Amino acid sequence: MNSSKYNFQYFQGSSLSDLFAQDITEASYGFILNYPATGSWAAYPNRQKYFIQDGSSEATKTSFDKICQKEPWKNLAVLGDRIPGIVINPPSKSLLEYWQEHFGFKHSNIEMMDCSTYLDDLSHSERFDKLITLFPFDGLKPEKHAVDSDTHYRLLSKVALEELGVQCPKYKSYNLHQVNIEDIPLPQFPYLIKTSHGLSGEGTYIIKNPSDLNYCLEEIRKYLDIKLLDTIIVSEFVKNEVQNYCVQFYVNKGGEITLIGTTGQLVTPEGSYLGGVIDYRNTDMSKFFQMIANVGEYAHKQGYFGVIGFDVLEDQDGQFYAIDANFRVNGSTPLCLQRHTLLGLGKEVAKYSSSYRIEGALESILITLKPELDRKDLIILSALEKVKYGKIYTELYAIVTGETIEKMQYIEQQLQTKGLQLLP
């Protein structure tokens, strides 16, 4: 494949708002940093039109603290100062001061809103004409979405994969209101069943045997019972996988493409997303240029602008298969945005994870880990304090860095001796 016909360049900034800056000049934009949810705690559950599969029962739903605190805060950390970030739960003063010191943004653009009224307030707001979102909101007026909400929902569907113009595993989609789940023809094991709009690994089932299938069908029936699912896909399983990448870029309103970065993905055997590893110096994105061009062109034709991340599996024959495409800021986008900062410090390798934990309150952690934080061996994107059996601990979304992968692993071991745990 000849990639020389494309000359895509890396984004030179380090914030999300610098990425979007070129496209937000004609109106007043804000960025809603949280996903919609469907749990009973949500004031605006997405249960009307834009279904999101975030757990098939109250007990398994993605929790409030993840959707309204940890996840939005990590994007707020790297938002920059050119777009107001809409938050329904404020980060702690300690976290904010750490960000201001280490990321160099003022963070004066945090727009605190009441979680019980925010989507109504935004729908009728004169201050915000358009809102950038990770997923369309049932509770926000369609015309207030920066990308047409129906289009965005269609792009985010697992069904849209084969329209992107890239090689992907063969799959078939089924509307469960038109076909009985028992009547769907299933291939030989192993294969995948996916719900159309699963959140972060939820709704994806690797089927290797009859008991996997029974579990999956049970989950799908639960989603049908609570009326949060229309469509599933049954997909081939990519065999002999050697690498799992997330390829990220930005497509502007003119259809021009800027590279953000490529991470190797850390995924549990069950398929849950744990984080990403990046090699800023030695990742050659040109092998993905044709795929990027095709996905970018498709997105642009649909009227989309913003960040796109697509997941690619490489098999042992060097074939690339796109297995998912996320038309939104991705989990590891903040990791990619550290590129210039870390290369400037001679740090070429970094790893992002959303499952660190350390004993103590954030304020004391910032003192204990000050040498590592000052050297940017560790970068904290999100921190939430919790109490268990009377003991305070802090859950972190963080990046560990190093000059080489060995140095990074050594630094992580050193951090473990200071109490930083990586939860399985």
Side-chain angles (χ1 to χ4, degrees), residues 97-248:
E97 286 169 356
Y98 163 79
W99 285 345
Q100 286 164 337
E101 183 186 343
H102 286 272
F103 291 113
F105 308 128
K106 294 190 201 70
H107 285 96
S108 55
N109 57 339
I110 297 176
E111 192 73 21
M112 258 305 296
M113 298 192 82
D114 184 330
C115 66
S116 58
T117 61
Y118 77 113
L119 292 181
D120 284 305
D121 297 343
L122 289 169
S123 288
H124 301 106
S125 163
E126 290 183 7
R127 179 158 175 226
F128 295 109
D129 307 314
K130 295 282 182 192
L131 293 147
I132 297 160
T133 66
L134 302 172
F135 197 95
F137 286 86
D138 280 345
L140 181 68
K141 276 189 183 164
E143 62 271 22
K144 286 281 189 179
H145 287 79
V147 171
D148 176 81
S149 49
D150 286 348
T151 303
H152 198 188
Y153 187 64
R154 198 175 68 249
L155 287 171
L156 285 165
S157 171
K158 307 272 188 269
V159 178
L161 199 56
E162 62 190 8
E163 295 166 23
L164 303 182
V166 292
Q167 178 165 271
C168 60
K170 289 190 188 66
Y171 67 89
K172 279 201 166 70
S173 61
Y174 299 95
N175 182 322
L176 298 176
H177 306 300
Q178 292 164 4
V179 54
N180 200 331
I181 193 166
E182 284 80 18
D183 299 336
I184 293 173
L186 296 171
Q188 301 258 296
F189 304 125
Y191 57 92
L192 291 156
I193 295 181
K194 298 182 183 187
T195 63
S196 63
H197 292 82
L199 176 64
S200 173
E202 175 62 41
T204 292
Y205 308 96
I206 301 169
I207 313 295
K208 293 181 172 166
N209 53 50
S211 66
D212 289 345
L213 178 61
N214 288 338
Y215 173 78
C216 167
L217 295 178
E218 218 172 285
E219 287 284 290
I220 285 170
R221 284 191 194 98
K222 285 184 200 166
Y223 275 123
L224 285 172
D225 287 345
I226 56 176
K227 299 191 168 41
L228 281 183
L229 180 63
D230 293 324
T231 308
I232 62 167
I233 70 163
V234 178
S235 167
E236 272 185 352
F237 187 79
V238 176
K239 294 187 178 69
N240 307 317
E241 167 207 334
V242 292
Q243 268 294 357
N244 184 345
Y245 304 98
C246 180
V247 179
Q248 296 183 49

